[in-house]
Amino acid sequence: MPDRPIPTLHDIISARKVVNQHLKPTPLHFYNSLSELLDAQVWVKHENHQPAGAFKVRGGVNLAAGLSEAEKKRGLFTASTGNHGQSIAYAARVQGIRAVIAVPEGANPAKVNAMRRLGAEVRFHGPDFDSAREWIMAEAQAQGGHYVGPTEEALICGVGSYVLEIVEELPDLDAIIVPVGGGSSASAAGIVLKNINEKIEVIGCQSAQAPAAQLSWAAGKIVTAPMKTFAEGVATRVPFENTQRIMRQYLDDFLLVDDREIEAAILLYLQLTHNLAEGAGAIPLATALKHKARFAGKKIVLVLSGGNLHVEKLRSIISRHRGH
Amino acid sequence: MPDRPIPTLHDIISARKVVNQHLKPTPLHFYNSLSELLDAQVWVKHENHQPAGAFKVRGGVNLAAGLSEAEKKRGLFTASTGNHGQSIAYAARVQGIRAVIAVPEGANPAKVNAMRRLGAEVRFHGPDFDSAREWIMAEAQAQGGHYVGPTEEALICGVGSYVLEIVEELPDLDAIIVPVGGGSSASAAGIVLKNINEKIEVIGCQSAQAPAAQLSWAAGKIVTAPMKTFAEGVATRVPFENTQRIMRQYLDDFLLVDDREIEAAILLYLQLTHNLAEGAGAIPLATALKHKARFAGKKIVLVLSGGNLHVEKLRSIISRHRGH
């Protein structure tokens, strides 16, 4: 299969116009408290304030808006147990089209309910994510619908709208720290920022308990790795070739932090900014803390990518970290 | 003392222009999940997304911007252990002026730090809030500075900007539910909405463990009452005459909910919307749940007034409500 073309800055600027028709810009807040802690000037991009609680919805609305009338009639098909599924459900509702989302049997009922409330048809299939995904791909083909892969170019372009918002509000940022799951967000950050000012550092980050994307980036080829992190937004076992190619071109570095450090960052966000971050969303803060000297004195943006953390998980984090 | 004039819709429209120079509008989100739960169409006004985590900052920036140059030189003086102090500190920083905030000895260190990070001078004085307040009033007089009372008209007018944002985005709302502490927010909601469409219901709400404002409203005169709620944003022991007068004129009703119901609403917000609400911020949701039949089928707006909840308090709420 020939390489798919890498989206350009122009593609992302065009997608932003579409995204703006459906979603408002999210806040970019400066925090004194985090700045003191990190000896840096620290801004947070609040993608946790999106309607579905995560940045992915930007990609979904761009993809759905770009379908032909014939494609819209046949609907969107995808597999997901988390933010991606909610994003596609949201985007389908905005366009008034059908969304069919496959989830493994035993999927989190809260997330299934969230997708259903957005009007999606949820189909349980197979014991794990991969079997649900294989089933829905076949189903999309049988019904002539559009199967949405997790790192499609239309998703990357839509997601890039958040990076444009950052650079327009804070054009002299020195570095951005972005969590990597499938890689669409970090890819978009690289395309936008490096084409505007190559001196802006673009740093990817991930859980050390799910390092496949980082190992693949470092090795220059796709590598799989064990996946044990609680941070489902970055729980990637098999990386994606298209986003890996973009990240190899554009990322300055790709850092790992332990789940325990991610949990501590969730608590810090809660205590110092009163924002609920999901695991993936807290990784940039954990990364900045771990590599404090590297970012000292700089203007840095932490991407708080989502806030969909389960209440029981939050309780256990608070309990275990008490008094630390 | 003669009655102070009640702010008008025009005053609030004028104040909004000032507020907009310093603060962005906050989101008004529709939630499927809350709508199903309440059998109504439910929007949430996200004042928890303000920079200092609560609506009060709107009032602070309006008040500070309206000072004369001579007043600016002498600075702002107030007493607070919570959101009001952070709001005044934030507003003073925006104007580049001095803020002196009195807190009782033993005040919450996290809140003291937050005020200091915003550049305020924090003075510890006396064993409780009232002694800190009396001390700072004398200090303001001695230094010729402006003492900021919690329900000044300039604060009410600035706060009213959130109500204008709501009615412009959702002009056909049927009812709004607003938490009452000092009463500036509910007063502003009444002035704006009743002057635009008197059929829009404006409902105040408070903790039954701190019912002074509700009892005073019902009695038509100032009544004090025990104050035992954990929801410090509505922990009013002695109500304020000026906001009581406005609320008597404009509120359709004033409802009470128990602290236990407020805690359950905090958990619901966390589970269904992934937003952290402080006690006061969750009271409108608790009220809508308790009076479900009254709001069934209507378009209602819940004012999520702030998100400044202590992590340890959140942990204890989650633990106690597990499995409910």
mmCIF file of all heavy atoms in Angstrom, chain A residues 238-284:
data_model
loop_
_atom_site.group_PDB
_atom_site.id
_atom_site.type_symbol
_atom_site.label_atom_id
_atom_site.label_comp_id
_atom_site.label_asym_id
_atom_site.label_seq_id
_atom_site.Cartn_x
_atom_site.Cartn_y
_atom_site.Cartn_z
ATOM 1 N N VAL A 238 -0.462 -1.660 19.227
ATOM 2 C CA VAL A 238 0.131 -1.667 17.887
ATOM 3 C C VAL A 238 0.036 -0.249 17.310
ATOM 4 O O VAL A 238 -1.055 0.228 17.021
ATOM 5 C CB VAL A 238 -0.622 -2.640 16.947
ATOM 6 C CG1 VAL A 238 0.094 -2.712 15.598
ATOM 7 C CG2 VAL A 238 -0.748 -4.019 17.584
ATOM 8 N N PRO A 239 1.161 0.427 17.147
ATOM 9 C CA PRO A 239 1.140 1.801 16.629
ATOM 10 C C PRO A 239 0.663 1.870 15.169
ATOM 11 O O PRO A 239 0.618 0.857 14.466
ATOM 12 C CB PRO A 239 2.595 2.244 16.755
ATOM 13 C CG PRO A 239 3.179 1.342 17.782
ATOM 14 C CD PRO A 239 2.494 0.026 17.579
ATOM 15 N N PHE A 240 0.350 3.080 14.726
ATOM 16 C CA PHE A 240 -0.173 3.294 13.383
ATOM 17 C C PHE A 240 0.909 3.890 12.488
ATOM 18 O O PHE A 240 1.573 4.851 12.860
ATOM 19 C CB PHE A 240 -1.377 4.238 13.443
ATOM 20 C CG PHE A 240 -2.491 3.693 14.283
ATOM 21 C CD1 PHE A 240 -2.569 3.980 15.640
ATOM 22 C CD2 PHE A 240 -3.447 2.859 13.727
ATOM 23 C CE1 PHE A 240 -3.579 3.446 16.423
ATOM 24 C CE2 PHE A 240 -4.462 2.322 14.513
ATOM 25 C CZ PHE A 240 -4.530 2.614 15.853
ATOM 26 N N GLU A 241 1.040 3.321 11.301
ATOM 27 C CA GLU A 241 2.126 3.723 10.414
ATOM 28 C C GLU A 241 2.014 5.190 10.004
ATOM 29 O O GLU A 241 3.006 5.912 9.968
ATOM 30 C CB GLU A 241 2.153 2.817 9.172
ATOM 31 C CG GLU A 241 3.294 3.081 8.216
ATOM 32 C CD GLU A 241 4.673 3.195 8.878
ATOM 33 O OE1 GLU A 241 5.024 2.323 9.690
ATOM 34 O OE2 GLU A 241 5.387 4.191 8.594
ATOM 35 N N ASN A 242 0.784 5.649 9.722
ATOM 36 C CA ASN A 242 0.694 7.019 9.180
ATOM 37 C C ASN A 242 1.077 8.079 10.205
ATOM 38 O O ASN A 242 1.802 9.027 9.895
ATOM 39 C CB ASN A 242 -0.684 7.284 8.567
ATOM 40 C CG ASN A 242 -1.809 7.335 9.593
ATOM 41 O OD1 ASN A 242 -1.770 6.620 10.598
ATOM 42 N ND2 ASN A 242 -2.803 8.171 9.340
ATOM 43 N N THR A 243 0.632 7.911 11.440
ATOM 44 C CA THR A 243 1.002 8.916 12.439
ATOM 45 C C THR A 243 2.462 8.749 12.876
ATOM 46 O O THR A 243 3.139 9.725 13.183
ATOM 47 C CB THR A 243 0.077 8.841 13.670
ATOM 48 O OG1 THR A 243 -0.004 7.489 14.116
ATOM 49 C CG2 THR A 243 -1.312 9.356 13.336
ATOM 50 N N GLN A 244 2.965 7.519 12.867
ATOM 51 C CA GLN A 244 4.386 7.320 13.187
ATOM 52 C C GLN A 244 5.270 8.072 12.195
ATOM 53 O O GLN A 244 6.260 8.691 12.573
ATOM 54 C CB GLN A 244 4.729 5.815 13.155
ATOM 55 C CG GLN A 244 4.326 5.075 14.421
ATOM 56 C CD GLN A 244 5.193 5.419 15.625
ATOM 57 O OE1 GLN A 244 6.380 5.678 15.494
ATOM 58 N NE2 GLN A 244 4.582 5.445 16.799
ATOM 59 N N ARG A 245 4.891 8.015 10.930
ATOM 60 C CA ARG A 245 5.685 8.696 9.898
ATOM 61 C C ARG A 245 5.701 10.215 10.151
ATOM 62 O O ARG A 245 6.734 10.873 10.055
ATOM 63 C CB ARG A 245 5.076 8.385 8.525
ATOM 64 C CG ARG A 245 5.969 8.702 7.363
ATOM 65 C CD ARG A 245 5.591 7.862 6.142
ATOM 66 N NE ARG A 245 4.162 7.927 5.880
ATOM 67 C CZ ARG A 245 3.593 8.731 4.966
ATOM 68 N NH1 ARG A 245 4.331 9.537 4.245
ATOM 69 N NH2 ARG A 245 2.294 8.710 4.769
ATOM 70 N N ILE A 246 4.537 10.758 10.507
ATOM 71 C CA ILE A 246 4.469 12.203 10.775
ATOM 72 C C ILE A 246 5.272 12.540 12.029
ATOM 73 O O ILE A 246 6.027 13.514 12.062
ATOM 74 C CB ILE A 246 2.996 12.645 10.941
ATOM 75 C CG1 ILE A 246 2.207 12.345 9.671
ATOM 76 C CG2 ILE A 246 2.931 14.137 11.282
ATOM 77 C CD1 ILE A 246 0.690 12.562 9.814
ATOM 78 N N MET A 247 5.137 11.709 13.059
ATOM 79 C CA MET A 247 5.847 12.000 14.313
ATOM 80 C C MET A 247 7.360 11.882 14.136
ATOM 81 O O MET A 247 8.121 12.633 14.734
ATOM 82 C CB MET A 247 5.338 11.087 15.432
ATOM 83 C CG MET A 247 3.893 11.422 15.841
ATOM 84 S SD MET A 247 3.362 10.617 17.380
ATOM 85 C CE MET A 247 3.250 8.906 16.875
ATOM 86 N N ARG A 248 7.805 10.928 13.297
ATOM 87 C CA ARG A 248 9.247 10.824 13.036
ATOM 88 C C ARG A 248 9.772 12.099 12.379
ATOM 89 O O ARG A 248 10.881 12.546 12.645
ATOM 90 C CB ARG A 248 9.536 9.613 12.141
ATOM 91 C CG ARG A 248 9.560 8.297 12.900
ATOM 92 C CD ARG A 248 10.261 7.188 12.129
ATOM 93 N NE ARG A 248 9.511 6.741 10.958
ATOM 94 C CZ ARG A 248 8.568 5.792 10.988
ATOM 95 N NH1 ARG A 248 8.255 5.196 12.121
ATOM 96 N NH2 ARG A 248 7.953 5.443 9.887
ATOM 97 N N GLN A 249 8.931 12.694 11.522
ATOM 98 C CA GLN A 249 9.358 13.915 10.845
ATOM 99 C C GLN A 249 9.358 15.125 11.787
ATOM 100 O O GLN A 249 10.226 15.988 11.689
ATOM 101 C CB GLN A 249 8.423 14.167 9.654
ATOM 102 C CG GLN A 249 8.792 15.401 8.847
ATOM 103 C CD GLN A 249 8.017 15.477 7.538
ATOM 104 O OE1 GLN A 249 7.407 14.505 7.081
ATOM 105 N NE2 GLN A 249 8.036 16.653 6.917
ATOM 106 N N TYR A 250 8.395 15.181 12.701
ATOM 107 C CA TYR A 250 8.148 16.451 13.385
ATOM 108 C C TYR A 250 8.428 16.492 14.893
ATOM 109 O O TYR A 250 8.583 17.566 15.444
ATOM 110 C CB TYR A 250 6.699 16.890 13.152
ATOM 111 C CG TYR A 250 6.415 17.382 11.756
ATOM 112 C CD1 TYR A 250 5.416 16.796 10.976
ATOM 113 C CD2 TYR A 250 7.134 18.453 11.218
ATOM 114 C CE1 TYR A 250 5.136 17.257 9.700
ATOM 115 C CE2 TYR A 250 6.865 18.919 9.939
ATOM 116 C CZ TYR A 250 5.864 18.314 9.184
ATOM 117 O OH TYR A 250 5.588 18.775 7.936
ATOM 118 N N LEU A 251 8.416 15.362 15.589
ATOM 119 C CA LEU A 251 8.599 15.446 17.047
ATOM 120 C C LEU A 251 10.068 15.668 17.403
ATOM 121 O O LEU A 251 10.948 15.016 16.859
ATOM 122 C CB LEU A 251 8.132 14.164 17.747
ATOM 123 C CG LEU A 251 6.652 13.821 17.780
ATOM 124 C CD1 LEU A 251 6.389 12.775 18.869
ATOM 125 C CD2 LEU A 251 5.783 15.031 17.985
ATOM 126 N N ASP A 252 10.323 16.564 18.360
ATOM 127 C CA ASP A 252 11.677 16.761 18.847
ATOM 128 C C ASP A 252 12.079 15.670 19.826
ATOM 129 O O ASP A 252 13.249 15.322 19.939
ATOM 130 C CB ASP A 252 11.781 18.118 19.561
ATOM 131 C CG ASP A 252 11.645 19.255 18.590
ATOM 132 O OD1 ASP A 252 12.640 19.561 17.924
ATOM 133 O OD2 ASP A 252 10.536 19.805 18.478
ATOM 134 N N ASP A 253 11.102 15.170 20.557
ATOM 135 C CA ASP A 253 11.405 14.125 21.529
ATOM 136 C C ASP A 253 10.103 13.403 21.887
ATOM 137 O O ASP A 253 9.001 13.882 21.593
ATOM 138 C CB ASP A 253 12.053 14.721 22.789
ATOM 139 C CG ASP A 253 13.015 13.728 23.455
ATOM 140 O OD1 ASP A 253 12.909 12.513 23.177
ATOM 141 O OD2 ASP A 253 13.850 14.179 24.248
ATOM 142 N N PHE A 254 10.264 12.259 22.525
ATOM 143 C CA PHE A 254 9.107 11.436 22.876
ATOM 144 C C PHE A 254 9.466 10.803 24.215
ATOM 145 O O PHE A 254 10.363 9.969 24.295
ATOM 146 C CB PHE A 254 8.890 10.384 21.793
ATOM 147 C CG PHE A 254 7.539 9.708 21.816
ATOM 148 C CD1 PHE A 254 6.911 9.344 20.622
ATOM 149 C CD2 PHE A 254 6.873 9.429 23.009
ATOM 150 C CE1 PHE A 254 5.672 8.720 20.617
ATOM 151 C CE2 PHE A 254 5.641 8.809 23.009
ATOM 152 C CZ PHE A 254 5.040 8.458 21.816
ATOM 153 N N LEU A 255 8.804 11.229 25.272
ATOM 154 C CA LEU A 255 9.207 10.864 26.633
ATOM 155 C C LEU A 255 8.184 9.945 27.296
ATOM 156 O O LEU A 255 6.991 9.995 26.972
ATOM 157 C CB LEU A 255 9.379 12.141 27.467
ATOM 158 C CG LEU A 255 10.376 13.164 26.877
ATOM 159 C CD1 LEU A 255 10.267 14.506 27.600
ATOM 160 C CD2 LEU A 255 11.796 12.622 26.949
ATOM 161 N N LEU A 256 8.666 9.134 28.229
ATOM 162 C CA LEU A 256 7.785 8.199 28.948
ATOM 163 C C LEU A 256 7.712 8.568 30.428
ATOM 164 O O LEU A 256 8.705 8.996 31.020
ATOM 165 C CB LEU A 256 8.310 6.765 28.818
ATOM 166 C CG LEU A 256 8.335 6.169 27.409
ATOM 167 C CD1 LEU A 256 8.961 4.773 27.451
ATOM 168 C CD2 LEU A 256 6.921 6.100 26.810
ATOM 169 N N VAL A 257 6.547 8.385 31.025
ATOM 170 C CA VAL A 257 6.396 8.534 32.479
ATOM 171 C C VAL A 257 5.637 7.327 33.009
ATOM 172 O O VAL A 257 4.856 6.696 32.291
ATOM 173 C CB VAL A 257 5.628 9.822 32.862
ATOM 174 C CG1 VAL A 257 6.481 11.062 32.609
ATOM 175 C CG2 VAL A 257 4.305 9.912 32.119
ATOM 176 N N ASP A 258 5.870 7.020 34.273
ATOM 177 C CA ASP A 258 5.195 5.867 34.874
ATOM 178 C C ASP A 258 3.746 6.194 35.242
ATOM 179 O O ASP A 258 3.416 7.340 35.548
ATOM 180 C CB ASP A 258 5.943 5.437 36.136
ATOM 181 C CG ASP A 258 7.190 4.650 35.787
ATOM 182 O OD1 ASP A 258 7.106 3.761 34.919
ATOM 183 O OD2 ASP A 258 8.252 4.960 36.358
ATOM 184 N N ASP A 259 2.914 5.162 35.271
ATOM 185 C CA ASP A 259 1.515 5.335 35.667
ATOM 186 C C ASP A 259 1.390 6.037 37.019
ATOM 187 O O ASP A 259 0.504 6.863 37.227
ATOM 188 C CB ASP A 259 0.793 3.980 35.719
ATOM 189 C CG ASP A 259 0.213 3.583 34.365
ATOM 190 O OD1 ASP A 259 0.571 4.234 33.357
ATOM 191 O OD2 ASP A 259 -0.587 2.630 34.303
ATOM 192 N N ARG A 260 2.296 5.687 37.926
ATOM 193 C CA ARG A 260 2.265 6.305 39.247
ATOM 194 C C ARG A 260 2.462 7.832 39.151
ATOM 195 O O ARG A 260 1.839 8.599 39.879
ATOM 196 C CB ARG A 260 3.380 5.669 40.088
ATOM 197 C CG ARG A 260 3.428 6.109 41.515
ATOM 198 C CD ARG A 260 2.479 5.299 42.361
ATOM 199 N NE ARG A 260 2.479 5.802 43.728
ATOM 200 C CZ ARG A 260 1.684 5.363 44.670
ATOM 201 N NH1 ARG A 260 0.805 4.413 44.414
ATOM 202 N NH2 ARG A 260 1.731 5.857 45.876
ATOM 203 N N GLU A 261 3.332 8.251 38.239
ATOM 204 C CA GLU A 261 3.562 9.690 38.036
ATOM 205 C C GLU A 261 2.351 10.336 37.362
ATOM 206 O O GLU A 261 2.025 11.501 37.614
ATOM 207 C CB GLU A 261 4.823 9.903 37.197
ATOM 208 C CG GLU A 261 6.088 9.430 37.916
ATOM 209 C CD GLU A 261 7.310 9.313 37.016
ATOM 210 O OE1 GLU A 261 7.206 8.718 35.905
ATOM 211 O OE2 GLU A 261 8.374 9.789 37.423
ATOM 212 N N ILE A 262 1.682 9.581 36.523
ATOM 213 C CA ILE A 262 0.461 10.103 35.881
ATOM 214 C C ILE A 262 -0.620 10.313 36.938
ATOM 215 O O ILE A 262 -1.323 11.335 36.943
ATOM 216 C CB ILE A 262 -0.033 9.125 34.786
ATOM 217 C CG1 ILE A 262 1.031 8.978 33.687
ATOM 218 C CG2 ILE A 262 -1.350 9.611 34.191
ATOM 219 C CD1 ILE A 262 0.728 7.878 32.680
ATOM 220 N N GLU A 263 -0.739 9.368 37.849
ATOM 221 C CA GLU A 263 -1.734 9.516 38.919
ATOM 222 C C GLU A 263 -1.437 10.758 39.765
ATOM 223 O O GLU A 263 -2.348 11.511 40.126
ATOM 224 C CB GLU A 263 -1.750 8.271 39.808
ATOM 225 C CG GLU A 263 -2.251 7.030 39.085
ATOM 226 C CD GLU A 263 -2.378 5.831 40.021
ATOM 227 O OE1 GLU A 263 -1.863 5.900 41.159
ATOM 228 O OE2 GLU A 263 -2.995 4.831 39.601
ATOM 229 N N ALA A 264 -0.156 10.957 40.068
ATOM 230 C CA ALA A 264 0.205 12.140 40.861
ATOM 231 C C ALA A 264 -0.157 13.419 40.108
ATOM 232 O O ALA A 264 -0.603 14.409 40.702
ATOM 233 C CB ALA A 264 1.699 12.117 41.197
ATOM 234 N N ALA A 265 0.004 13.394 38.793
ATOM 235 C CA ALA A 265 -0.335 14.579 37.989
ATOM 236 C C ALA A 265 -1.851 14.808 37.959
ATOM 237 O O ALA A 265 -2.320 15.954 37.950
ATOM 238 C CB ALA A 265 0.216 14.425 36.571
ATOM 239 N N ILE A 266 -2.634 13.729 37.956
ATOM 240 C CA ILE A 266 -4.098 13.870 38.044
ATOM 241 C C ILE A 266 -4.461 14.610 39.332
ATOM 242 O O ILE A 266 -5.284 15.539 39.330
ATOM 243 C CB ILE A 266 -4.784 12.482 37.992
ATOM 244 C CG1 ILE A 266 -4.680 11.892 36.581
ATOM 245 C CG2 ILE A 266 -6.253 12.581 38.427
ATOM 246 C CD1 ILE A 266 -5.192 10.468 36.461
ATOM 247 N N LEU A 267 -3.818 14.215 40.425
ATOM 248 C CA LEU A 267 -4.103 14.872 41.703
ATOM 249 C C LEU A 267 -3.656 16.331 41.705
ATOM 250 O O LEU A 267 -4.344 17.202 42.238
ATOM 251 C CB LEU A 267 -3.396 14.135 42.843
ATOM 252 C CG LEU A 267 -4.128 12.927 43.382
ATOM 253 C CD1 LEU A 267 -3.389 12.386 44.593
ATOM 254 C CD2 LEU A 267 -5.555 13.294 43.769
ATOM 255 N N LEU A 268 -2.514 16.597 41.116
ATOM 256 C CA LEU A 268 -2.037 17.984 41.053
ATOM 257 C C LEU A 268 -3.007 18.852 40.262
ATOM 258 O O LEU A 268 -3.311 19.980 40.657
ATOM 259 C CB LEU A 268 -0.662 18.038 40.376
ATOM 260 C CG LEU A 268 0.538 17.923 41.296
ATOM 261 C CD1 LEU A 268 1.811 17.906 40.476
ATOM 262 C CD2 LEU A 268 0.564 19.087 42.294
ATOM 263 N N TYR A 269 -3.467 18.363 39.137
ATOM 264 C CA TYR A 269 -4.455 19.119 38.360
ATOM 265 C C TYR A 269 -5.697 19.412 39.208
ATOM 266 O O TYR A 269 -6.245 20.510 39.193
ATOM 267 C CB TYR A 269 -4.861 18.347 37.096
ATOM 268 C CG TYR A 269 -4.122 18.769 35.846
ATOM 269 C CD1 TYR A 269 -3.593 17.827 34.977
ATOM 270 C CD2 TYR A 269 -3.977 20.111 35.509
ATOM 271 C CE1 TYR A 269 -2.919 18.198 33.811
ATOM 272 C CE2 TYR A 269 -3.307 20.495 34.353
ATOM 273 C CZ TYR A 269 -2.790 19.544 33.511
ATOM 274 O OH TYR A 269 -2.136 19.916 32.364
ATOM 275 N N LEU A 270 -6.129 18.398 39.939
ATOM 276 C CA LEU A 270 -7.334 18.565 40.759
ATOM 277 C C LEU A 270 -7.081 19.597 41.861
ATOM 278 O O LEU A 270 -7.901 20.490 42.098
ATOM 279 C CB LEU A 270 -7.698 17.205 41.357
ATOM 280 C CG LEU A 270 -9.139 16.962 41.769
ATOM 281 C CD1 LEU A 270 -10.102 17.166 40.613
ATOM 282 C CD2 LEU A 270 -9.289 15.541 42.304
ATOM 283 N N GLN A 271 -5.928 19.494 42.519
ATOM 284 C CA GLN A 271 -5.651 20.385 43.647
ATOM 285 C C GLN A 271 -5.349 21.808 43.203
ATOM 286 O O GLN A 271 -5.819 22.770 43.798
ATOM 287 C CB GLN A 271 -4.462 19.843 44.458
ATOM 288 C CG GLN A 271 -4.829 18.606 45.255
ATOM 289 C CD GLN A 271 -3.624 17.909 45.844
ATOM 290 O OE1 GLN A 271 -2.617 17.731 45.181
ATOM 291 N NE2 GLN A 271 -3.745 17.495 47.100
ATOM 292 N N LEU A 272 -4.571 21.959 42.163
ATOM 293 C CA LEU A 272 -4.084 23.298 41.799
ATOM 294 C C LEU A 272 -4.974 23.992 40.775
ATOM 295 O O LEU A 272 -4.988 25.215 40.710
ATOM 296 C CB LEU A 272 -2.646 23.217 41.273
ATOM 297 C CG LEU A 272 -1.614 22.728 42.295
ATOM 298 C CD1 LEU A 272 -0.231 22.700 41.667
ATOM 299 C CD2 LEU A 272 -1.611 23.627 43.530
ATOM 300 N N THR A 273 -5.696 23.245 39.955
ATOM 301 C CA THR A 273 -6.524 23.904 38.936
ATOM 302 C C THR A 273 -7.990 23.485 39.025
ATOM 303 O O THR A 273 -8.818 24.029 38.306
ATOM 304 C CB THR A 273 -6.041 23.590 37.503
ATOM 305 O OG1 THR A 273 -6.490 22.282 37.123
ATOM 306 C CG2 THR A 273 -4.524 23.650 37.396
ATOM 307 N N HIS A 274 -8.322 22.514 39.901
ATOM 308 C CA HIS A 274 -9.687 22.007 40.026
ATOM 309 C C HIS A 274 -10.250 21.499 38.713
ATOM 310 O O HIS A 274 -11.428 21.651 38.429
ATOM 311 C CB HIS A 274 -10.602 23.062 40.653
ATOM 312 C CG HIS A 274 -10.135 23.462 42.014
ATOM 313 N ND1 HIS A 274 -9.492 24.632 42.252
ATOM 314 C CD2 HIS A 274 -10.186 22.822 43.197
ATOM 315 C CE1 HIS A 274 -9.164 24.709 43.542
ATOM 316 N NE2 HIS A 274 -9.571 23.625 44.132
ATOM 317 N N ASN A 275 -9.367 20.915 37.913
ATOM 318 C CA ASN A 275 -9.801 20.257 36.692
ATOM 319 C C ASN A 275 -9.637 18.750 36.835
ATOM 320 O O ASN A 275 -8.628 18.273 37.362
ATOM 321 C CB ASN A 275 -8.953 20.711 35.499
ATOM 322 C CG ASN A 275 -9.508 21.959 34.872
ATOM 323 O OD1 ASN A 275 -10.294 21.903 33.932
ATOM 324 N ND2 ASN A 275 -9.122 23.109 35.421
ATOM 325 N N LEU A 276 -10.629 18.026 36.330
ATOM 326 C CA LEU A 276 -10.528 16.575 36.298
ATOM 327 C C LEU A 276 -9.845 16.174 34.992
ATOM 328 O O LEU A 276 -10.334 16.485 33.907
ATOM 329 C CB LEU A 276 -11.921 15.951 36.388
ATOM 330 C CG LEU A 276 -11.967 14.430 36.427
ATOM 331 C CD1 LEU A 276 -11.289 13.899 37.687
ATOM 332 C CD2 LEU A 276 -13.398 13.929 36.354
ATOM 333 N N ALA A 277 -8.692 15.521 35.105
ATOM 334 C CA ALA A 277 -7.975 15.031 33.927
ATOM 335 C C ALA A 277 -8.076 13.521 33.895
ATOM 336 O O ALA A 277 -7.986 12.871 34.928
ATOM 337 C CB ALA A 277 -6.502 15.439 33.983
ATOM 338 N N GLU A 278 -8.276 12.936 32.714
ATOM 339 C CA GLU A 278 -8.145 11.495 32.617
ATOM 340 C C GLU A 278 -6.653 11.167 32.529
ATOM 341 O O GLU A 278 -5.816 12.078 32.392
ATOM 342 C CB GLU A 278 -8.913 10.961 31.409
ATOM 343 C CG GLU A 278 -8.460 11.493 30.076
ATOM 344 C CD GLU A 278 -9.380 11.022 28.939
ATOM 345 O OE1 GLU A 278 -10.453 11.627 28.776
ATOM 346 O OE2 GLU A 278 -9.007 10.066 28.237
ATOM 347 N N GLY A 279 -6.298 9.887 32.602
ATOM 348 C CA GLY A 279 -4.885 9.510 32.611
ATOM 349 C C GLY A 279 -4.109 10.147 31.465
ATOM 350 O O GLY A 279 -3.095 10.830 31.681
ATOM 351 N N ALA A 280 -4.576 9.944 30.245
ATOM 352 C CA ALA A 280 -3.870 10.505 29.088
ATOM 353 C C ALA A 280 -3.718 12.015 29.225
ATOM 354 O O ALA A 280 -2.666 12.586 28.918
ATOM 355 C CB ALA A 280 -4.625 10.162 27.803
ATOM 356 N N GLY A 281 -4.762 12.666 29.725
ATOM 357 C CA GLY A 281 -4.750 14.123 29.830
ATOM 358 C C GLY A 281 -3.715 14.648 30.807
ATOM 359 O O GLY A 281 -3.257 15.792 30.687
ATOM 360 N N ALA A 282 -3.352 13.825 31.790
ATOM 361 C CA ALA A 282 -2.403 14.265 32.815
ATOM 362 C C ALA A 282 -0.951 13.951 32.462
ATOM 363 O O ALA A 282 -0.034 14.407 33.141
ATOM 364 C CB ALA A 282 -2.760 13.616 34.153
ATOM 365 N N ILE A 283 -0.719 13.187 31.414
ATOM 366 C CA ILE A 283 0.654 12.782 31.082
ATOM 367 C C ILE A 283 1.568 13.976 30.773
ATOM 368 O O ILE A 283 2.715 14.005 31.225
ATOM 369 C CB ILE A 283 0.662 11.739 29.932
ATOM 370 C CG1 ILE A 283 -0.046 10.461 30.406
ATOM 371 C CG2 ILE A 283 2.097 11.406 29.522
ATOM 372 C CD1 ILE A 283 -0.117 9.373 29.343
ATOM 373 N N PRO A 284 1.097 14.994 30.032
ATOM 374 C CA PRO A 284 2.007 16.138 29.797
ATOM 375 C C PRO A 284 2.470 16.809 31.086
ATOM 376 O O PRO A 284 3.644 17.180 31.201
ATOM 377 C CB PRO A 284 1.154 17.072 28.937
ATOM 378 C CG PRO A 284 0.264 16.145 28.165
ATOM 379 C CD PRO A 284 -0.105 15.084 29.172
#
